Each structure stands twice: as C-alpha cells, then as structure tokens.
Amino acid sequence: MTTQPNTPAGWYADPQGTPNQLRWWDGAQWTEHTHPGQPGQAPPPQAAPSNPNPAKVQRQVQQQARVAPAAGGGGTLFSEPVLVVNQKAKLIELTNEYSVFDQHGRTIGSVVQVGQSTLKKVARFVSSLDQFMTHKLEIRDAHGQPHLVLTRPAKFIKSKVLVTRPDGQPVGEIIQRNAIGKINFGIHVNGQQIGAIKAENWRAWNFAIVDHTDTEIARITKTWEGLAKTMFTTADNYVLQIHRQLPDPLLSLVVATALTVDTALKQDARGFG
C-alpha cells in the first residue's frame, strides 16, 4: 500500500480486500493486524498504538536515564534492548495503565489492569487500600494481543507477583524478600531462584537485575516526570535496559519486572488518602 507523506496515523483497510485484515500506519511504517470481529469492523480502542512524542521518549532514555543508544532490536517487547515504561498520568489511580515504547519512541506495547469490579474502584477512590487488594495486569503487544499476565495477590508487608501466559501457563514468580532497607526481589521459576532484583537506594527508585551468579543482566531506572506530576498525579516512568540476550523464561520475567516494581511497591506509596 502506498502512502503520501501527510497520511494521518490510523487504521486502514487491506488494499487486497482481505476480510478482517487491517493495517496500522504510525506515520513511518505499516504493521499488519487481523481483527477477530466482523469484516470492516474497527479494532477495539486498546489495540491501536498511541502516538507519543519520539523526541520526548529519546530524551527520557538518553538524558534522564543516561542510557546510550543501543544497536539491534526487533521491534517487539521481547526483542528490544531498551524498553520505556510510562504510566498514564492520573490525579487518582483507579486503573493502572502503562504505555511501552522502544528507545526511539515507537509504541511496542501496553499494560492494562483488568478484572476490576466497580466496588473495587470505589474502594481505591476513597481509601489507600491498594496493598490489601489483588491486582491483575495484561502485558500486550502493539496490536493489543496479551503476551503475559501479572497477578499481585493482596499483600500485608511483602509482595509476590505471579507471571503467567494468557492461557494460564505459569512462567514464574517475583517475590519480595525484605521490607526494611534496600528492597530486594527474588526471581523464581518452578521453586528455584534464577535471579534477583536489587534496589540501589532505600526509596526503591533504581534497580539492578542480576542472574543466579549475581551478574547484572539488566537495569531499571526511574525517570523524573516533573514536580507537578510527582506531587499531584500517580504517574511513574521507568527505563529498562537489558544488557544481553536472555533465554526464556528469564527474559519474560525481566520484561515483567519493569512493570512489577511499580505495582508491587510504588502504587501503595502515593495517591488519594
């Protein structure tokens, strides 16, 4: 399909007329999408990638997180060396939502909280009871298809996050190991610890991710979102840098970690009440 330079970003029908086949134009390139609904029916809103400011994301990576441009990357959640995770800014957090970009500012995924009842949202609005509630989030690709599901059961002092495939197949667990001092998490698969997530300061802003030999394999850096957002909204922004190619299930758990840190700790520390 040919496109004029000023073609607006959006969904377009397949020029071959294939039923249910749509294409997404992000201003630079096409991506294919097979919509499971009726022919010609638009995809659900969450499936459409957002249009971030690439320069803003690049500044977040290079200037705020001080991560140098990395070569390679396959354009997906599990093939990029740098992931930028930005939480949607809200005055009061009732539903956790994140956008995930590559280092160049292209949308490659999202994270959406699912399974919340109206009663739960009301409770989150009038109180700070997040830590006593179970939270479930889906990690989705740029087309809105879920790849991982994170479940954080209700916690009292320490958190545990269960990571599964969309069909319920277990991937592993991320378990908080301490509640005082620099917070650490263990990365577990089938009851065996294969890595850890280590906070580098007591505020739990930046984390080193290590493998079973205690060698750093990735790093999470919290980026400053500005005084107004920090004081008056719930938004937290992070950059995940993966130092080398990782095997699964370690790779899936490292990707999940960039989102788990916020859900496991930060969500209980801010908000209304």
Side-chain angles (χ1 to χ4, degrees):
M1 176 184 266
T2 58
T3 306
Q4 299 299 320
N6 60 351
T7 297
W11 292 102
Y12 293 84
D14 180 9
Q16 304 301 322
T18 305
N20 289 8
Q21 189 68 38
L22 299 174
R23 289 184 171 192
W24 170 261
W25 172 252
D26 66 3
Q29 61 182 355
W30 291 101
T31 53
E32 301 290 340
H33 176 82
T34 301
H35 180 49
Q38 297 298 319
Q41 180 180 348
Q46 65 268 26
S50 59
N51 294 301
N53 182 339
K56 182 178 179 181
V57 174
Q58 291 169 20
R59 285 195 301 271
Q60 183 181 345
V61 173
Q62 299 175 23
Q63 298 178 23
Q64 295 179 277
R66 300 186 181 279
V67 174
T76 70
L77 289 168
F78 304 100
S79 62
E80 286 291 330
V82 178
L83 297 179
V84 182
V85 184
N86 290 345
Q87 187 174 15
K88 186 175 180 180
K90 301 175 184 178
L91 181 62
I92 301 171
E93 189 66 55
L94 299 181
T95 301
N96 300 0
E97 295 180 83
Y98 307 79
S99 295
V100 186
F101 311 102
D102 67 9
Q103 61 186 318
H104 306 294
R106 293 187 290 257
T107 301
I108 58 175
S110 63
V111 183
V112 179
Q113 186 164 12
V114 297
Q116 285 202 109
S117 66
T118 301
L119 180 61
K120 180 177 178 179
K121 290 183 179 181
V122 170
R124 296 184 72 179
F125 179 79
V126 300
S127 67
S128 296
L129 297 176
D130 273 18
Q131 64 176 315
F132 303 114
M133 300 177 180
T134 295
H135 298 287
K136 179 175 288 188
L137 301 98
E138 288 185 349
I139 299 179
R140 301 172 178 174
D141 63 20
H143 305 299
Q145 299 300 313
H147 286 260
L148 293 173
V149 178
L150 308 182
T151 303
R152 195 209 74 182
K155 75 169 192 174
F156 177 61
I157 296 176
K158 294 188 289 186
S159 290
K160 178 169 70 172
V161 176
L162 311 177
V163 183
T164 64
R165 305 294 179 193
D167 62 2
Q169 178 184 353
V171 176
E173 299 179 347
I174 301 171
I175 303 173
Q176 186 176 344
R177 299 167 63 180
N178 66 307
I180 300 175
K182 298 179 182 178
I183 302 300
N184 291 334
F185 295 84
I187 301 175
H188 297 258
V189 174
N190 295 326
Q192 301 265 330
Q193 184 169 340
I194 64 171
I197 308 158
K198 300 181 177 182
E200 297 189 334
N201 54 59
W202 66 271
R203 290 178 294 184
W205 276 8
N206 301 327
F207 292 81
I209 305 175
V210 300
D211 62 14
H212 67 286
T213 67
D214 207 38
T215 300
E216 183 175 309
I217 56 175
R219 173 171 293 272
I220 298 174
T221 303
K222 182 184 184 334
T223 54
W224 178 249
E225 67 265 32
L227 182 62
K229 283 189 177 182
T230 299
M231 293 182 63
F232 300 111
T233 75
T234 59
D236 275 321
N237 300 332
Y238 297 86
V239 173
L240 171 67
Q241 180 185 18
I242 301 176
H243 300 327
R244 58 179 172 85
Q245 187 172 0
L246 302 174
D248 246 346
L250 182 59
L251 174 60
S252 292
L253 292 169
V254 167
V255 170
T257 291
L259 312 165
T260 300
V261 168
D262 184 80
T263 301
L265 286 180
K266 315 304 285 187
Q267 207 59 42
D268 299 329
R270 298 200 299 184
F272 187 82

